[in-house]
Amino acid sequence: MIKHQPLQYYEPQLCLSCLTGIYGCRWKRYQRSHDDTTKWERLWFVILTFTFFLTLTWFYFWWEVHNDYNEFNWFLYNRTGHWDDWSIPILLTTAAAFTYNTALLILALCHVAVGQQLNLHWLHKACVAVILVGTVIAMVSIEQMWQEEWNVLLISFQATAPFLHIGALVAITVLAWIIAGQFARSEKAMFQVCLILAYLAVVIALYLVPLTITSPCIMQKYELGPKPLIIGHGGAPMLAPENTLMSFRKALEHETSGLEVDVMVSLDGVPFIMHDDTLRRTTNLALAFPELLDQPSSMFNWTDLERLNAGEWFLKTDPFWTVGSLSPADVTEAGNQSICKLADVLELAKEHNASILLKVHPLPAEHPQYGHYINLTVHTILQSTISQHQVTWLSDHERPLVQRLAPGFQQASSIKRDAKYVRNRGITLLSLRYTEVGQDEVREYISENLTVNTYIVNEPWLYSVLWCSGVQSVTTDAPQILSKVLFPVWLLSPDEYSLIWITADLVSFTVIIGIFILQKWRLGSIRTYNPEQIMLSAAVRRTSRDVRIMKEKLIFSEINNSMDTADDLSLCSQNRYECFANDAISPTPDGKTNTR
């Protein structure tokens, strides 16, 4: 009598269980399969890969625009009328989605590496679909509302491309293990040819990418110009409420060479500092004059303006997430700030020998000072006895009048124009957004004896790129950060960069060749079969002599271990194939399996 015994002793495989369990919720041994992945699951693998690259792009973009988070919040404030910081929640959500998608893709590649069938769980499919749709919506929204911000990607590549190239080389080199494994296992010549050609195309493209990389920081060190001057945008708004005396003092404490201020004129003719068209964001107007929330900032008397608190909003909203780093004394001082007069800022600048970059906001037509607010502002400046050369006039309105009243003022423009046109108008400085001007244009302006200032620059990497480009000054919210940048984040000569590039390519190519040889030696010369594959596969797609021999060996081994007497063994030996039939799982003509 033949005893029925299991064909093999199953040893639990924790890694494989976790791999198939997390990816497809296949925690049990009998749920796994080495069969070919279905076309539907291959489609989901393509969707997963596409979503990975899309979220990678979005995550990289949103990380690099960290420089402009405050600008983004300001944009939403203008649309909604409420100040909310959406930048950090978007970043955290994006990071979580990217991490989740990356983990799934790694699990999928591990399935391919060990020969397991891909079977993404429906819950993961739903999450991937949500991430894909959400990322597309986010990118379309940026395209419609903040289109110029995509230029940040091109600028960021000037700082990160050499390092992204090395990272991509590492990734494609590691991927060679899976590609070589599939190449060695495959019995289809056409599949092998297509696989190796596609992989080689990607590898060669990556090897040649540095030919397209241009960065102003790839230059000889002796060509590097002087460090750009730092101008505080409303003072130091990360350390104190913007456009207050405390903010201006903090900026001057951190080696700023100048202060950028926005000037308005009150109903009674007093020039004061205010950036917004209304007072609702940066003052306690809602408590003092709730009925005047939408009143233009310039439509108040100075006696009312000086009563407003201009610092409590900073502590409450914490626009730059920096309030927690302030000392108790600074917190107290910040909470007691008021609106600042232009005369007070001029006095402070004169004491520190700092320049003033002045932008005068136009007044409503019904304003009583509408016809002579320029005269009032210029008169206030001249009355302060500050040197005229320390004042840079940024507004285009009534520029000829200003040039007549104060010929010593430096004239500047925030509109990008032809260099010769600018010079002919007596303008000596261009203050442009950093996305509007490239290295060649900077050099052209400098050749025409024009000074180039860019705004708003808060990140050291961006400051470094602009430094290498030849920009002479930057306007920043973070003078306390940029003042500590004593040299560009990185600077390589063309020869040094070429050496790094060629070395990285050679190392990658050598490792890839070694991986293919190793995988061919491991998998190409022999044909191995997992007993679990033989017993648990849902269907046998084709007969194989090697598979039959393996079954016989396994059955014989189990029978030897289970027979109690030599007679049993002899009996089984004489009826060898009958014993196999009794213990084995054999396919029926209709494709089903019968156990005897």
Side-chain angles (χ1 to χ4, degrees):
M1 179 177 181
I2 295 186
K3 297 180 180 181
H4 294 272
Q5 297 288 341
L7 290 180
Q8 62 173 323
Y9 171 73
Y10 175 69
E11 183 176 343
Q13 296 173 288
L14 180 60
C15 291
L16 189 58
S17 297
C18 291
L19 186 67
T20 57
I22 296 174
Y23 186 80
C25 203
R26 292 185 168 189
W27 298 98
K28 305 296 183 181
R29 179 169 63 103
Y30 62 82
Q31 293 175 325
R32 301 177 200 152
S33 174
H34 286 265
D35 290 339
D36 293 340
T37 301
T38 64
K39 293 182 179 180
W40 174 247
E41 291 299 331
R42 289 176 182 172
L43 175 61
W44 270 106
F45 177 76
V46 173
I47 295 174
L48 178 63
T49 304
F50 176 75
T51 306
F52 165 78
F53 283 108
L54 198 66
T55 53
L56 173 63
T57 302
W58 174 248
F59 180 55
Y60 175 81
F61 166 77
W62 197 252
W63 179 267
E64 292 301 326
V65 299
H66 182 270
N67 183 85
D68 300 331
Y69 281 174
N70 192 64
E71 182 180 334
F72 175 74
N73 292 329
W74 169 251
F75 174 82
L76 294 180
Y77 172 75
N78 286 335
R79 290 292 185 95
T80 64
H82 300 282
W83 181 269
D84 296 299
D85 189 354
W86 287 99
S87 57
I88 300 301
I90 291 176
L91 177 63
L92 295 178
T93 304
T94 301
F98 173 71
T99 302
Y100 173 78
N101 202 84
T102 303
L104 285 183
L105 184 61
I106 292 175
L107 289 174
L109 293 175
C110 289
H111 273 71
V112 175
V114 300
Q116 283 288 322
Q117 184 186 54
L118 292 176
N119 187 26
L120 187 63
H121 192 259
W122 67 267
L123 185 59
H124 288 319
K125 292 176 181 176
C127 291
V128 169
V130 169
I131 292 173
L132 177 60
V133 172
T135 305
V136 170
I137 292 175
M139 296 178 114
V140 170
S141 299
I142 291 294
E143 173 65 24
Q144 293 180 346
M145 298 187 301
W146 208 16
Q147 184 177 11
E148 67 274 9
E149 196 66 11
W150 288 115
N151 294 330
V152 176
L153 279 178
L154 301 178
I155 296 175
S156 69
F157 287 149
Q158 296 178 3
T160 62
F163 309 100
L164 292 178
H165 173 246
I166 294 177
L169 284 182
V170 172
I172 201 67
T173 302
V174 172
L175 193 62
W177 182 266
I178 297 176
I179 300 296
Q182 294 299 304
F183 179 83
R185 289 191 184 100
S186 177
E187 297 177 350
K188 298 179 180 179
M190 183 58 67
F191 174 79
Q192 290 179 323
V193 171
C194 293
L195 181 66
I196 199 65
L197 288 179
Y199 181 71
L200 282 177
V202 174
V203 170
I204 293 173
L206 275 179
Y207 287 169
L208 298 180
V209 156
L211 293 175
T212 66
I213 294 177
T214 58
S215 172
C217 291
I218 300 177
M219 62 187 300
Q220 300 294 344
K221 293 183 180 180
Y222 62 82
E223 297 176 343
L224 182 67
K227 178 180 177 178
L229 301 176
I230 298 173
I231 299 174
H233 179 232
M238 291 187 181
L239 303 178
E242 64 183 65
N243 291 309
T244 61
L245 275 179
M246 178 185 177
S247 182
F248 294 127
R249 283 198 302 269
K250 288 288 185 181
L252 294 172
E253 289 173 4
H254 289 89
E255 303 176 9
T256 56
S257 63
L259 302 171
E260 187 268 348
V261 297
D262 295 89
V263 179
M264 294 186 179
V265 177
S266 65
L267 281 174
D268 48 354
V270 178
F272 66 97
I273 310 302
M274 180 57 58
H275 176 272
D276 295 9
D277 293 332
T278 67
L279 303 171
R280 63 188 304 169
R281 180 177 71 93
T282 57
T283 69
N284 64 336
L285 184 67
L287 295 176
F289 305 103
E291 71 281 2
L292 300 176
L293 280 179
D294 296 322
Q295 187 86 336
S297 301
S298 57
M299 299 300 286
F300 289 83
N301 287 315
W302 175 249
T303 53
D304 293 329
L305 291 171
E306 63 181 351
R307 291 169 50 193
L308 297 175
N309 184 293
E312 290 178 350
W313 73 273
F314 174 76
L315 302 178
K316 181 180 178 180
T317 61
D318 195 5
F320 294 97
W321 300 72
T322 53
V323 170
S325 63
L326 301 181
S327 67
D330 284 344
V331 170
T332 302
E333 184 181 0
N336 293 317
Q337 292 299 299
S338 58
I339 295 177
C340 178
K341 290 197 296 186
L342 173 61
D344 295 334
V345 179
L346 293 170
E347 186 65 28
L348 187 65
K350 187 172 66 172
E351 291 177 5
H352 291 81
N353 196 31
S355 62
I356 293 289
L357 185 60
L358 211 92
K359 181 178 181 181
V360 181
H361 289 240
L363 300 180
E366 64 273 17
H367 196 285
Q369 312 296 338
Y370 177 75
H372 51 279
Y373 72 95
I374 296 294
N375 302 65
L376 284 171
T377 304
V378 174
H379 177 71
T380 301
I381 298 172
L382 296 177
Q383 201 173 32
S384 70
T385 69
I386 190 173
S387 172
Q388 291 191 25
H389 291 285
Q390 291 178 244
V391 179
T392 301
W393 189 271
L394 189 57
S395 303
D396 285 331
H397 185 63
E398 297 286 354
R399 190 184 297 277
L401 172 62
V402 175
Q403 290 174 322
R404 288 197 304 270
L405 295 175
F409 284 3
Q410 304 295 319
Q411 296 297 321
S413 176
S414 59
I415 300 175
K416 185 178 179 180
R417 297 187 175 102
D418 179 73
K420 293 183 179 179
Y421 174 89
V422 170
R423 289 294 303 173
N424 292 336
R425 297 302 184 276
I427 296 172
T428 58
L429 183 144
L430 284 174
S431 183
L432 306 173
R433 194 174 191 273
Y434 67 90
T435 55
E436 294 181 342
V437 60
Q439 182 181 10
D440 293 338
E441 292 170 313
V442 170
R443 291 176 177 175
E444 180 183 355
Y445 286 134
I446 292 176
S447 67
E448 293 291 335
N449 294 322
L450 293 172
T451 300
V452 178
N453 176 74
T454 56
Y455 64 90
I456 303 291
V457 179
N458 298 330
E459 296 295 316
W461 72 263
L462 180 57
Y463 182 68
S464 299
V465 170
L466 296 172
W467 184 351
C468 296
S469 298
V471 169
Q472 291 107 320
S473 65
V474 300
T475 302
T476 179
D477 293 324
Q480 76 281 5
I481 295 176
L482 299 190
S483 62
K484 298 177 181 178
V485 180
L486 304 179
F487 197 76
V489 173
W490 64 270
L491 187 67
L492 294 173
S493 68
D495 291 339
E496 290 172 334
Y497 176 64
S498 298
L499 179 62
I500 294 174
W501 160 36
I502 296 173
T503 302
D505 286 356
L506 290 176
V507 170
S508 171
F509 182 75
T510 303
V511 172
I512 288 174
I513 295 298
I515 288 175
F516 268 83
I517 294 174
L518 178 61
Q519 287 288 66
K520 183 65 176 177
W521 174 76
R522 288 179 63 248
L523 304 173
S525 59
I526 59 173
R527 195 66 67 188
T528 60
Y529 295 90
N530 191 322
E532 199 172 328
Q533 175 182 354
I534 298 170
M535 300 305 300
L536 301 179
S537 291
V540 178
R541 299 188 181 276
R542 65 177 183 271
T543 60
S544 171
R545 179 175 176 274
D546 292 336
V547 174
R548 291 198 301 271
I549 293 174
M550 189 62 173
K551 285 183 178 181
E552 292 176 5
K553 290 181 179 179
L554 287 170
I555 295 170
F556 227 176
S557 174
E558 292 296 334
I559 293 174
N560 286 333
N561 292 334
S562 63
M563 293 299 183
D564 295 328
T565 64
D567 292 338
D568 291 336
L569 181 60
S570 175
L571 178 61
C572 187
S573 299
Q574 294 174 6
N575 301 278
R576 176 178 176 184
Y577 293 99
E578 293 179 6
C579 291
F580 296 161
N582 287 335
D583 280 354
I585 298 175
S586 58
T588 61
D590 59 359
K592 299 181 179 179
T593 58
N594 292 328
T595 304
R596 301 180 185 179

